Amino acid sequence: MSAQPEHGWGAMPLPEIRTVDDLRSALSRYGFPGDRERFEEELAAAIGAAPTNDFEGAAAVVRAYRHRVHIRNSPEIMAALEDARAGGGGT
């Protein structure tokens, strides 16, 4: 049995995210609570507002949520967030 980090966030295997469907699966499994639902809402809004020849807004939503999966998988970032939430991250 291996020791867990004292902050409680162990590294999870980082999923491959090559497609929007991969991202959906990763958000369901590795995302923060509510990420998958917010992703779907933001993606739909970005696509609906996009000109038919420019989906940069939708691409930005995909990049942002892919980054959230990476953040959620980083023990260092999660520990810093936990410290900040507990009031120990003041500068």
Side-chain angles (χ1 to χ4, degrees):
M1 198 154 111
S2 63
Q4 293 295 316
E6 72 179 60
H7 53 74
W9 295 104
M12 295 177 279
L14 192 59
E16 267 191 55
I17 302 174
R18 294 184 181 177
T19 67
V20 173
D21 283 341
D22 290 346
L23 179 55
R24 285 180 171 116
S25 295
L27 286 169
S28 294
R29 183 167 181 191
Y30 300 96
F32 292 97
D35 272 358
R36 170 71 191 268
E37 294 78 12
R38 283 190 298 275
F39 169 72
E40 296 296 346
E41 291 168 5
E42 290 182 32
L43 183 61
I47 290 171
T52 57
N53 62 346
D54 182 6
F55 288 99
E56 184 55 37
V61 170
V62 169
R63 283 191 301 272
Y65 279 89
R66 183 180 60 212
H67 185 68
R68 288 181 67 80
V69 170
H70 291 282
I71 288 171
R72 175 63 178 87
N73 192 60
S74 169
E76 295 83 14
I77 293 173
M78 293 307 298
L81 288 173
E82 192 171 295
D83 288 347
R85 188 174 56 227
T91 51

